[in-house]
Amino acid sequence: MIGFLSGTLIEKLAPWLLVDVNGVGYEVQSPMTTFFQLPAAGESVTLYTHFSVSENAQQLFGFINKKDRELFRLLIKINGVGPKMAVGIMSMETTDFVRCVMQDNVSALVKVPGVGKKTAERLIIEMRDKLKGWGEAAEPAQAGIINIEHNNPLDPNTLIADAEAALVALGYKPTDAAKVVASSYTSDVQTSEELIRLALRSMLPA
């Protein structure tokens, strides 16, 4: 079992990362709660990991802190929620997800790709007790904060293409991804991370 990876962040294209650990490149999937807090490519990074094995694939998932990994592991224990869906659910801020569960907000949860009404209702029922006091127990982290100073500004076309690719990888339809990214982009946006977050915020609860 791989508990964590510590090395150099080579590439990041949400939700995929490539981490060089002593000359070995690990492909890792990370939820947006982690992606928004990553350093720039070429810098050191440590990720807490979860190794998932199924009949069709072996996948490594990485998280910026143990609390995010704990939430991921709680989610995949829910009937009907696999790793891909869990990553999609964690495309919203952790505080937003907790609020949706505590407020029985089914309509917000079904906006996540792959989450139907029954799954949303099951998430609310099974996660409510597990998430009590979650905010108080959370590690002091920069959840949802974008490290703008560690990212070089890209040209608008690249920003938009990266953001659209990230949303499609999370399960959104290409046409929906293109529409929401276009409506979220402004000249003030300097990084793909910022644009992805704005696009997700426009679809998921604030």
Side-chain angles (χ1 to χ4, degrees):
M1 180 66 68
I2 303 173
F4 73 91
L5 295 176
S6 186
T8 302
L9 181 60
I10 302 300
E11 295 178 357
K12 56 176 183 174
L13 182 59
W16 289 95
L17 311 174
L18 181 62
V19 182
D20 180 346
V21 181
N22 296 324
V24 179
Y26 289 85
E27 288 188 340
V28 184
Q29 291 188 61
S30 292
M32 300 313 297
T33 50
T34 283
F35 193 82
F36 290 141
Q37 300 180 68
L38 292 171
E43 296 189 16
S44 297
V45 67
T46 296
L47 298 171
Y48 295 93
T49 56
H50 176 88
F51 186 52
S52 175
V53 179
S54 66
E55 293 182 1
N56 301 317
Q58 296 184 22
Q59 298 173 298
L60 190 62
F61 297 88
F63 308 88
I64 202 70
N65 55 50
K66 292 180 180 179
K67 202 66 181 175
D68 274 3
R69 183 175 64 179
E70 180 184 348
L71 178 57
F72 177 84
R73 287 175 170 174
L74 287 174
L75 287 170
I76 61 177
K77 289 180 180 178
I78 305 298
N79 185 33
V81 178
K84 183 177 180 179
M85 186 182 294
V87 168
I89 292 170
M90 292 178 70
S91 65
M92 67 171 72
E93 304 279 355
T94 302
T95 52
D96 292 336
F97 174 65
V98 173
R99 183 167 58 250
C100 287
V101 170
M102 296 306 179
Q103 296 178 354
D104 297 340
N105 194 341
V106 173
S107 61
L109 290 174
V110 297
K111 293 180 181 179
V112 177
V115 178
K117 184 178 179 181
K118 290 184 178 179
T119 300
E121 292 172 344
R122 191 179 301 118
L123 280 166
I124 289 171
I125 292 172
E126 296 190 30
M127 293 292 290
R128 185 182 291 116
D129 289 341
K130 297 174 183 177
L131 294 178
K132 284 182 178 178
W134 189 266
E136 292 80 357
E139 296 178 6
Q142 302 162 2
I145 297 176
I146 302 170
N147 245 334
I148 295 177
E149 68 273 18
H150 292 304
N151 294 278
N152 296 322
L154 302 174
D155 69 87
N157 290 335
T158 301
L159 288 175
I160 291 170
D162 285 353
E164 288 181 6
L167 294 187
V168 171
L170 289 171
Y172 291 94
K173 296 179 180 178
T175 52
D176 293 338
K179 182 178 180 179
V180 73
V181 168
S183 64
S184 299
Y185 176 76
T186 68
S187 59
D188 294 330
V189 176
Q190 297 295 307
T191 66
S192 57
E193 289 93 336
E194 186 179 3
L195 183 53
I196 293 167
R197 190 184 186 204
L198 289 171
L200 288 170
R201 275 291 192 179
S202 72
M203 294 185 286
L204 299 174

